[in-house]
Amino acid sequence: MEEFVHIPSGNDRLLGVWTEPEGAAPLGVTVITLHGWGGYRIGPHRFMVKLARSLAREGAASLRFDFRGRGDSTGAQGSATLDTMIEDACRAVELAKTRAPGNRIVLWGLCSGGNVAIGAATLASDVRDLVLLSTLPFIPEKKAAEKIARTKDQAGNYARKLFRLATWKKLVTGAVNFRAVKKALFGEKRAAGERDPKDSSRDVMAAFRGFKGRALFVYGGADKEAGGAGEHYSAFTSKHGIPAEFVTVEGANHDYYSLAWERRAIDLTVERVKNHGG
């Protein structure tokens, strides 16, 4: 059974779809699905719709919704930030608790939705289970890794140039643009006070150290966008004693654009919910 619901969040109203089992024995679980930065509640190739209906057949309720400024929710397009998305997710948790009191809450996120799930879990103390697909490191960690890789690459390039006569001629004549060299090595800084909308005003990873639940991380074996993300989170969860499982869907890309990859990701979620739902 499915019905539209409205979720108040800030000055906006989020549109969602509540799905609950009909006939299947209830598992006592509600899964809240969180779409990525550029998506909306159905997900790529209706991924979240198929997931919700698969969960319902197994006895689990679910809620999928549009973040503010996306899909059919109110809010100015382009005004959303990671923090507003986290706030929206927390409001969705509150609605889910009123719709199905006593149900275990599972936050399921795809790409940026995974970052939102982690952020919301650090604020909603009753969230104890996360399913995170193709989730990248948060902006500070991602930028740090990219900066190191960029600096190594550019430093190697400049080291090779030192052996060229043309380089020494430029040094002698003052033709070297040291500002451009600095930018190539260390990147360009944002203006003071300017924050990337995908960055949080909080140190979410510091807050995540105290997470009391468990997490399932799923990555595609051919996901070039999320390269190294699994290793990043594996090291973090191990260091801070967070029970975490990591699964690779062989051959899958970032959004699981194949019926086989999609089915595998859905089955992993259903299995997780059934095994850890009570």
Side-chain angles (χ1 to χ4, degrees):
M1 296 188 296
E2 294 183 318
E3 63 176 300
F4 286 114
V5 294
H6 293 97
I7 309 166
S9 186
N11 296 320
D12 292 301
R13 190 172 72 160
L14 316 177
L15 181 73
V17 177
W18 176 265
T19 305
E20 62 182 36
E22 184 177 35
L27 289 175
V29 185
T30 299
V31 179
I32 300 174
T33 60
L34 307 169
H35 65 74
W37 188 263
Y40 72 117
R41 66 182 181 273
I42 70 170
H45 49 89
R46 301 181 72 248
F47 195 173
M48 296 177 188
V49 177
K50 298 172 189 177
L51 172 63
R53 293 173 183 174
S54 293
L55 288 166
R57 284 192 288 271
E58 298 296 334
S62 66
L63 172 63
R64 60 187 187 273
F65 69 96
D66 299 329
F67 289 111
R68 70 184 73 177
R70 315 287 174 75
D72 294 303
S73 293
T74 65
Q77 185 178 13
S79 64
T81 67
L82 183 64
D83 283 338
T84 65
M85 293 168 75
I86 290 172
E87 181 184 358
D88 293 346
C90 289
R91 301 293 82 78
V93 169
E94 292 173 1
L95 177 77
K97 288 163 62 177
T98 63
R99 297 282 306 207
N103 270 16
R104 182 183 183 90
I105 303 292
V106 178
L107 293 183
W108 183 102
L110 175 64
C111 192
S112 295
N115 299 108
V116 173
I118 293 172
T122 66
L123 296 174
S125 59
D126 42 5
V127 173
R128 290 288 185 271
D129 217 335
L130 301 173
V131 179
L132 309 168
L133 279 69
S134 306
T135 300
L136 305 178
F138 283 82
I139 291 295
E141 292 81 9
K142 186 171 184 288
K143 283 185 176 178
E146 289 173 347
K147 183 177 179 180
I148 291 171
R150 180 177 62 246
T151 301
K152 284 183 177 179
D153 182 59
Q154 292 296 339
N157 288 337
Y158 286 117
R160 288 188 290 273
K161 286 182 180 180
L162 285 175
F163 294 96
R164 299 175 186 171
L165 180 61
T167 301
W168 287 99
K169 287 181 178 179
K170 287 183 179 181
L171 283 168
V172 171
T173 60
V176 174
N177 185 341
F178 287 100
R179 183 177 179 181
V181 172
K182 182 180 178 182
K183 180 180 176 182
L185 285 172
F186 305 110
E188 192 167 18
K189 292 184 178 179
R190 287 179 174 268
E194 184 182 358
R195 178 181 293 117
D196 190 313
K198 294 185 180 181
D199 192 10
S200 175
S201 59
R202 296 188 300 130
D203 187 341
V204 177
M205 289 299 282
F208 191 41
R209 294 171 192 164
F211 180 60
K212 302 302 182 184
R214 64 178 71 235
L216 168 64
F217 290 83
V218 181
Y219 289 98
D223 182 0
K224 296 180 181 179
E225 187 174 344
E231 291 82 355
H232 167 78
Y233 283 111
S234 178
F236 180 90
T237 54
S238 177
K239 179 178 179 179
H240 298 289
I242 300 171
E245 181 182 356
F246 292 81
V247 178
T248 299
V249 178
E250 295 301 332
N253 61 8
H254 192 69
D255 288 321
Y256 304 88
Y257 273 102
S258 156
L259 290 176
W261 303 336
E262 175 190 84
R263 187 70 255 166
R264 175 63 174 147
I266 289 174
D267 287 346
L268 285 167
T269 303
V270 171
E271 180 183 353
R272 179 76 171 194
V273 168
K274 292 177 70 174
N275 290 345
H276 303 287

